[in-house]
Amino acid sequence: MPKQRRRLTGLFLICSLQAQALVIAPINGGIAAVTLPDSDSRPQVSYLGHRVLVSGHAPHWRAIVGIPLDRPAGVEHLEESSPIVQSIAFTIEHKAYPEQHITLSNQHMVDPTPTQLLRIHRELKEETADFALFDGQEPSLSIDHLPVTATALDSAFGLRRFFNGEERAPHSGLDLKAQEGQMVTTPLPGRVVLGRELYFNGGTVIIDHGRGLVSMYCHLSRIEVQPGQILHAGEELGRAGHSGRATGPHLHWSMSLNDVRIDPALLLSDELRLQLGLDH
Ligand SMILES: [Zn+2]
């Protein structure tokens, strides 16, 4: 992939996916678009053990692959299982994300008790199972309205996080500035798979958009949807708040592809990227 290597940031725009503008960034925390060998039927492909979204029309197909934040630069492999069993290589680059230091007054949000840890692990298992869903129709990969009306980010995706000086998991979503009680809507149509209070995430809604694209909204003060409910784009899912591990009201928004949390900003329309002051 010489074209990708030439660019230091590894970022470039493609507009040919269902006429959608999607920023393809083959980096840790980003998205790779991998051209698959021609085939009359839609190939079935997986990456790190998870089914991958395949887009296109016979005979031309492309895998749209979410890349984990902790993947080093180098050669990665997709495993095709149908119609042909083969391994397809692609290259990713490394992005070094900045650090963020956060002070929390509740030390149990940094070092939970054994009982709290049991709850956290149980919830994480459930969350992971929701992110691993691979059902339904091919989703839209282009977002032209934000889940909350916002003109600024609170925290970017991918930051290396230190809570009260202790390093914890990096920031796996985007934080949008929001007022307590501000309406939160789904940016894409989908089916609600979780809607309840979790330890770190607070009031949480998870939505399955289809074929491995799943979104999550956290720290909500109110949840207005039930699991199983089908939502249209723009429909309300709850209200913003500061429940769980949050220093103030904001909306934490995660997007996941093939069970990998990716930078939601990569799915935003050019207009929204400009509105939020993002440089890609
Ligand atoms: Zn967040």
Side-chain angles (χ1 to χ4, degrees), residues 145-151 176-178 182-185 240 251 275:
H145 82 263
L146 294 169
V148 284
T149 313
T151 51
L176 294 168
K177 282 195 193 303
Q182 194 177 335
M183 188 190 285
V184 181
T185 59
L251 180 70
Q275 184 183 314

Side-chain angles (χ1 to χ4, degrees), residues 6 13 23 49-50 63 72-73 77 101 107-108 152 164 175-176 182 193 203-204 206 211 220 238 247-249 258 264:
R6 244 188 350 254
L13 269 173
V23 179
H50 291 275
H77 291 91
H101 292 259
Q107 189 64 24
H108 285 317
N164 298 355
D175 290 350
L176 294 168
Q182 194 177 335
V193 289
T204 302
I206 299 181
R211 314 300 286 176
L220 302 173
T247 51
N258 49 271

Side-chain angles (χ1 to χ4, degrees), residues 18 20 42 51-55 133-141 188-191 208-214 230 257:
Q18 306 170 321
Q20 295 169 344
R42 189 183 293 263
R51 281 280 297 276
V52 164
L53 175 65
V54 172
S55 188
L133 290 168
F134 196 93
D135 302 317
Q137 304 282 312
E138 188 177 338
S140 165
L141 291 170
L188 293 171
R191 180 176 60 95
D208 177 13
H209 303 289
R211 314 300 286 176
L213 184 70
V214 178
I230 306 292
L257 254 182

Side-chain angles (χ1 to χ4, degrees), residues 129 136 159-160 185 196 211 215 224:
L159 300 174
R160 288 181 54 205
T185 59
R196 64 164 212 274
R211 314 300 286 176
S215 63
E224 301 286 6

Side-chain angles (χ1 to χ4, degrees), residues 257-268:
L257 254 182
N258 49 271
D259 193 23
V260 166
R261 261 50 86 208
I262 52 161
D263 187 351
L266 300 174
L267 303 180
L268 296 179

